[in-house]
Amino acid sequence: MKTGIVRFALATYLVMLMLPVYWMVNMSLRDNADILSTFVLFPENLTFDNYIKIFTDPSWYSGYINSMIYVTMNMVISVSVALPAAYAFSRYRFIGDKHVFFWLLTNRMAPPAVFALPFFQLYQTMGLIDTHIAVALAHTLFNVPLAVWVLEGFMSAIPREIDETAYLDGYSFPRFFFRIFMPLIKTGIGVTAFFTFMFSWVELLMARTLTTTEAKPIAAVMTRTVSATGLDWGLLAAAGVLTIVPGALVIYFVRNYMAKGFALGRV
Amino acid sequence: MDKPTNNGAWLLVVPVVLLVAFNAVMPLMAVVNYSVQDIFGPGQAYWVGTEWYREVLGDTRLHEALLRQFLFSGLVLLIEIPLGVLIALAMPRRGWAVSLVLVILALPLLIPWNVIGTIWIIFTRPDIGLLGYSLNSLGIPFDHTASPLDAWITLMLMEVWHWTPLVVLLAYAGLKAIPEAFYQAAAIDGASAWKVFRYIQLPKMRGVLTIAVLLRFMDSFLIYAEPFVLTGGGPGNATTFPSIYLVKVALGQFDLGPAGAFSVIYFLIVLLFSWLFYQVLQNVGRGKAR
């Protein structure tokens, strides 16, 4: 009875969550004239033209490829530098630890608009404008602090006795870290990987500032094409639907890390 | 048990500090530079001291935008955090349904922010949008381009739709990290569901909820793309948040000086409140033992 109500409430929430996304899918399968003239719950004049255009026009699909490249780079860099740092924060005291920990997060707190200009100058000096690595590096500004914070939380939940036992058993630090510790915080790594992917994928301002053509992200391609063609709702909706797909795949792959949870609980 | 002191641990932190500092230090210094100079062009800049700060602090339109922002971020936290925890508690713990729910939850988070605004324009338009059309055909006039209240409702709906899943994912991961033994012990003691929540689940979620509150506060306080696309700050100035006003000043009027001063003040406000939240969440309910 009680679980029935809970299930029903959860299902209702999930349906409401999907409504705007459904509406986007609905629009993506219709042409612009049809969208603007009639209101229908299910597309009647189904067309895949919007998707065909995106998959055949290089200026469209290269946007997806560019975004995927720098987002993956960013995810790998962020998680790999954050893992050891989070371990240090969760296990040891050291000079300035608390200050550095909070300072990291302050890098997410600046309003990006005015920072775009010096960012451009910085990466121009490095000769990195319009490269994937530039966007990947720039996005570490907000993703590395987040990764450190999330991972630190998960690591602190693991009792320190585990580390000590491993060292007593003669494990070296790297061997302990990769063989014992990382499997224990799989959930945290999964969540962190997803978050870094997500924040880099949806960020537009920096990515647009640092690129012109060769590494232009899909979100920027969408705004440009929209203003140039005077809002083609169907095409825009189809592009929007396609922006969800890569991330949905990522969460599908990390879901087991998130779902399996904490190995210690079963010991 | 206290953590051992080991300054060698700095070696593990150095890569992170270097990487973040590389991105953070120079742009921040540049913006502080803008805020104390009057810049006419390359090489033509004059020191003006605190003039821009005084101008910005006396700007009543900025005061209004900031008040709006506090109201918005306050509502965001009051709605999204409890809702997110409730949904995380309601989620299945195992089985195929977990994967399905996780993927559905992630959908709104994965859409680029400017596209979010566009989706909600489509979704709420009275003539072709599912929400706008449905409400109007039910006899409830709803048009976020005309009524400030409707604009706010639409923005809040969009914000809650967009970001509550983030709180859910964090809270759910926190719940999953609680060892089964805790629940078994609680069951042996015959603890009620409320007591399990209050004394086991909530304390164990402190870490993830701290991150959730800080992230939601910072990101909602800096919100730009979604309201800019959806309402453009209108109707009137009803949804002009500081970030939107800032871009108007910085890009619309090419005034780097006031925009820089504005950015610094804006940053300090976010910093101050984040720090307060962090301190409170770190210490609340810990008692004197700490």
Side-chain angles (χ1 to χ4, degrees), chain B residues 131-185:
Chain B
L131 183 69
Y133 186 88
S134 311
L135 282 175
N136 282 300
S137 49
L138 285 172
I140 307 163
F142 187 87
D143 184 0
H144 67 74
T145 56
S147 148
L149 182 65
D150 289 357
W152 267 79
I153 292 173
T154 314
L155 268 186
M156 284 311 301
L157 271 179
M158 175 176 75
E159 170 66 35
V160 169
W161 170 81
H162 186 185
W163 284 112
T164 306
L166 179 88
V167 183
V168 179
L169 290 180
L170 281 168
Y172 183 69
L175 283 174
K176 290 291 293 186
I178 301 174
E180 201 59 40
F182 281 65
Y183 293 114
Q184 286 158 3

Side-chain angles (χ1 to χ4, degrees), chain A residues 2 6 10 13-14 16-21 23-24 27 35-36 38-39 41 77 81-82 84-85 87-95 100-111 113-115 117-119 121-123 126 137-138 140-141 144-146 148-150 154 160-161 173 187 191 194-195 197-199 201-202 204 219 222-223 233 236 240 243-244 247-248 251-252 255 258-262 265, chain B residues 1-7 9-10 12-13 15-17 19-24 26-28 30-31 34 83 87 90-93 98-99 101-115 118-123 125 127-130 133 161 163-166 169-170 172-173 176-177 179-181 193 208 210-211 214-215 218-219 222 246-247 250 256 259-260 263 266-267 270-271 274-275 278:
Chain A
K2 207 173 156 196
V6 170
L10 182 67
Y13 172 76
L14 292 174
M16 293 201 306
L17 205 62
M18 281 191 292
L19 279 182
V21 177
W23 204 241
M24 189 164 70
M27 299 234 152
I35 291 171
L36 290 171
T38 44
F39 177 88
L41 284 177
I77 298 172
V81 298
Y87 182 79
F89 284 119
S90 93
R91 289 302 192 255
Y92 300 110
R93 270 179 206 290
F94 46 94
I95 297 169
V100 175
F101 193 59
F102 193 75
W103 166 75
L104 281 175
L105 204 67
T106 63
N107 292 294
R108 295 184 66 98
M109 298 176 190
V114 180
F115 286 81
L117 180 61
F119 246 97
Q121 290 166 339
L122 174 66
Y123 281 89
M126 308 281 298
L137 283 176
T140 60
L141 176 65
V144 164
L146 179 70
V148 172
W149 272 61
V150 173
F154 281 95
R160 208 164 50 241
E161 286 77 5
F173 174 70
T187 316
V191 175
F194 172 70
F195 281 160
F197 179 95
M198 177 196 101
F199 278 108
W201 181 255
V202 298
L204 174 62
M222 287 172 77
T223 52
W233 293 109
L236 186 67
T243 59
I244 305 182
I251 192 124
Y252 186 77
R255 79 188 189 285
M258 295 183 63
K260 270 184 197 150
F262 197 51
Chain B
M1 195 167 71
D2 269 347
K3 291 189 264 190
T5 304
N6 179 358
N7 284 320
W10 254 106
L12 299 173
V13 181
V16 158
V17 171
L19 191 58
V20 174
F22 166 73
N23 278 309
M26 203 288 279
L28 183 63
V31 171
Y34 299 154
L83 185 63
I87 294 164
M91 272 174 66
R93 296 292 162 79
V98 175
S99 309
V101 175
L102 286 177
V103 173
I104 294 174
L105 277 172
L107 291 180
L109 297 172
L110 295 163
I111 306 168
W113 296 345
N114 52 333
V115 184
T118 319
I119 291 178
W120 278 77
I121 292 179
I122 308 178
F123 190 58
R125 262 179 68 150
D127 52 347
I128 58 169
L130 183 60
Y133 186 88
W161 170 81
W163 284 112
T164 306
L166 179 88
L169 290 180
L170 281 168
Y172 183 69
K176 290 291 293 186
E180 201 59 40
V208 283
T210 304
I211 296 173
L214 287 175
L215 278 181
M218 293 185 293
D219 292 354
L222 297 169
L246 174 64
V247 171
L256 272 182
S263 295
Y266 200 172
F267 172 62
V270 182
L271 182 62
S274 301
W275 185 80
Y278 181 57

Side-chain angles (χ1 to χ4, degrees), chain B residues 184-209:
Chain B
Q184 286 158 3
I188 290 167
D189 291 347
S192 64
W194 163 252
K195 287 212 160 139
V196 170
F197 174 72
R198 172 66 188 81
Y199 294 104
I200 297 177
Q201 292 171 324
L202 198 57
K204 284 282 174 187
M205 283 195 290
R206 179 200 299 274
V208 283
L209 286 184

Side-chain angles (χ1 to χ4, degrees), chain A residues 158-171:
Chain A
I158 310 274
R160 208 164 50 241
E161 286 77 5
I162 302 232
D163 309 28
E164 280 150 16
T165 316
Y167 295 141
L168 285 179
D169 287 351
Y171 274 81

Side-chain angles (χ1 to χ4, degrees), chain A residues 55-260:
Chain A
F55 279 117
T56 52
D57 183 347
S59 72
W60 269 105
Y61 66 72
S62 65
Y64 288 99
I65 297 169
N66 291 334
S67 290
M68 300 270 262
I69 294 173
Y70 72 69
V71 165
T72 310
M73 285 170 145
N74 174 271
M75 189 165 79
V76 172
I77 298 172
S78 299
V79 174
S80 30
V81 298
L83 270 171
Y87 182 79
F89 284 119
S90 93
R91 289 302 192 255
Y92 300 110
R93 270 179 206 290
F94 46 94
I95 297 169
D97 54 354
K98 292 204 172 106
H99 300 285
V100 175
F101 193 59
F102 193 75
W103 166 75
L104 281 175
L105 204 67
T106 63
N107 292 294
R108 295 184 66 98
M109 298 176 190
V114 180
F115 286 81
L117 180 61
F119 246 97
F120 180 82
Q121 290 166 339
L122 174 66
Y123 281 89
Q124 198 179 34
T125 318
M126 308 281 298
L128 288 175
I129 291 296
D130 208 20
T131 59
H132 299 105
I133 191 71
V135 186
L137 283 176
H139 282 182
T140 60
L141 176 65
F142 51 80
N143 267 345
V144 164
L146 179 70
V148 172
W149 272 61
V150 173
L151 284 172
E152 195 270 344
F154 281 95
M155 289 178 180
S156 295
I158 310 274
R160 208 164 50 241
E161 286 77 5
I162 302 232
D163 309 28
E164 280 150 16
T165 316
Y167 295 141
L168 285 179
D169 287 351
Y171 274 81
S172 65
F173 174 70
R175 208 166 136 225
F176 155 73
F177 198 81
F178 289 108
R179 299 287 291 281
I180 297 180
F181 198 66
M182 277 177 57
L184 285 176
I185 51 157
K186 266 196 237 166
T187 316
I189 297 176
V191 175
T192 312
F194 172 70
F195 281 160
T196 51
F197 179 95
M198 177 196 101
F199 278 108
S200 178
W201 181 255
V202 298
E203 203 278 341
L204 174 62
L205 193 88
M206 277 187 194
R208 195 175 53 191
T209 307
L210 297 176
T211 56
T212 47
T213 49
E214 293 301 310
K216 203 174 179 63
I218 180 60
V221 174
M222 287 172 77
T223 52
R224 185 197 55 183
T225 313
V226 167
S227 54
T229 57
L231 266 191
D232 184 338
W233 293 109
L235 190 60
L236 186 67
V241 171
L242 291 175
T243 59
I244 305 182
V245 176
L249 287 178
V250 169
I251 192 124
Y252 186 77
F253 284 121
V254 301
R255 79 188 189 285
N256 277 331
Y257 291 128
M258 295 183 63
K260 270 184 197 150

